[in-house]
Amino acid sequence: MVQMKKCTTKEDVLETVKERDVKFIRTQFTDTLGIIKSWAIPVEQLEEAFENGVMFDGSSIQGFTRIEESDMKLVLDPSTFRILPWRPATGAVARILGDVYLPDGKPFQGDPRYVLKSAIKEAEKMGFSMNLGPELEFFLFKLDANGNPTTELTDQGGYFDFAPLDRAQDVRRDIDYALEHMGFHIEASHHEVAPSQHEIDFRFGDVLSTADNVVTFKYVVKSIAYHKGYYATFMPKPLFGVNGSGMHTNQSLLKNGENAFYDPSTPNQLSEDAMYYIGGLLKHIREFAAVTNPLVNSYKRIVPGYEAPVYITWSASNRSSLIRIPAPRGKGTRVELRCPDPACNPYLAFALMLMSGLDGIKNKIEPGEPTNMNIFHLTEKERQEKGILSLPANLKEATDEMKKSEFVKEVLGPHVFENYLCAKIAEWDEYKAMVHPWELNKYLHML
């Protein structure tokens, strides 16, 4: 499978569609919750779409606009143009992302990509740019006879296992090939700890390109899996009693082309900016957990015993901490936030991480001493004595924290903030009103 050449301009895209016999282009963006929205246009309309945008009805999109102010347009970003390698080579199909604008030509402030671009501009004012590398985990399950997803396992493999224990390694290989064809630099691809669980890591990049890549990654994984007769899910905790799926997020800042987190003169070789950045993340994480961990199901993953962080601490190596500092130094110095899961909207989550870190730098927020012991071995009293706080225990607690956060409201903007909270509060209200199988198993026979 030959990797396609990178497009940066409209002219590059128009030339490529002719060379590669592209017949349809799927224009895409995400709604407030991070769900991909897409529709296809024939290649004959592509040049006009670049010139004038693609009009659509925003009132039908989660968290966008009311019906009386529904007209919106998608302005295509040529750098996101990719040919879909699982489609036929003759009469090919491509994908392109875009930014949402209002009819008067102003950016739509409810567009998640706009939120991230605004955060990037704030970083630039301080002389920083952000690099980011996420590690996305997912499960591969079998489909039933009607093509519907199940939670039936594809294997009983564990961490780094291979065939015959990892029975889906050929599917993962096809995903790897498709991602590489679409411009991804794959750094690792392997079976994860839980049965039927996988992880594919791609090379870090600037924060906007990486957010686009997360959207593309999930689209590719689900598409290839389905074509191979499997269902890929990024649900954080689809199975009880095994590890859930996270999206550990490695982040660093550049200043004048150098890694701003590296300082060889300090004992841990972390700069003041790095320490303050960690302090900002620790300060604000409870306020934006509803974005990095956006589902009722997200909080079934964040429990002791399954490698997911629960407590708000940092450490140079401790994997039970919320924030870990991986070993590499120099250009590779970075901060790893371990709580996010792959169900999040990457544009909003990355914007909040960046702005939290910048707030830490601006206000010189100290992160405190690192926590180097296994926090799960401490009693509740010992944690209280050490001042160790925990992440929200459920989506209700997370939305309550977010609701009172002026910081999150400022980063997301009032439109996204209010619509996102409204959706998440409704989700919790629906969940708490349901009668769940656990309740029937627990109580029905005894009462």
PDB file of all heavy atoms in Angstrom, residues 48 250 269:
ATOM      1  N   GLU A  48     -15.593  24.285  -6.237  1.00  0.00           N
ATOM      2  CA  GLU A  48     -16.547  25.268  -5.718  1.00  0.00           C
ATOM      3  C   GLU A  48     -16.624  25.195  -4.189  1.00  0.00           C
ATOM      4  O   GLU A  48     -16.747  26.218  -3.508  1.00  0.00           O
ATOM      5  CB  GLU A  48     -17.930  25.020  -6.306  1.00  0.00           C
ATOM      6  CG  GLU A  48     -18.965  26.038  -5.844  1.00  0.00           C
ATOM      7  CD  GLU A  48     -20.356  25.748  -6.367  1.00  0.00           C
ATOM      8  OE1 GLU A  48     -20.488  24.910  -7.286  1.00  0.00           O
ATOM      9  OE2 GLU A  48     -21.310  26.360  -5.862  1.00  0.00           O
ATOM     10  N   ASN A 250       0.530  12.429  25.970  1.00  0.00           N
ATOM     11  CA  ASN A 250       1.865  12.983  26.185  1.00  0.00           C
ATOM     12  C   ASN A 250       1.918  14.373  25.573  1.00  0.00           C
ATOM     13  O   ASN A 250       1.617  14.554  24.395  1.00  0.00           O
ATOM     14  CB  ASN A 250       2.911  12.088  25.541  1.00  0.00           C
ATOM     15  CG  ASN A 250       2.954  10.707  26.166  1.00  0.00           C
ATOM     16  OD1 ASN A 250       3.652  10.492  27.148  1.00  0.00           O
ATOM     17  ND2 ASN A 250       2.191   9.773  25.620  1.00  0.00           N
ATOM     18  N   GLN A 269      15.768  17.360  35.770  1.00  0.00           N
ATOM     19  CA  GLN A 269      15.910  17.859  34.391  1.00  0.00           C
ATOM     20  C   GLN A 269      14.604  18.400  33.815  1.00  0.00           C
ATOM     21  O   GLN A 269      14.425  18.455  32.609  1.00  0.00           O
ATOM     22  CB  GLN A 269      16.484  16.770  33.477  1.00  0.00           C
ATOM     23  CG  GLN A 269      17.884  16.316  33.892  1.00  0.00           C
ATOM     24  CD  GLN A 269      18.494  15.347  32.915  1.00  0.00           C
ATOM     25  OE1 GLN A 269      17.888  14.337  32.560  1.00  0.00           O
ATOM     26  NE2 GLN A 269      19.694  15.645  32.456  1.00  0.00           N
TER      27      GLN A 269
END
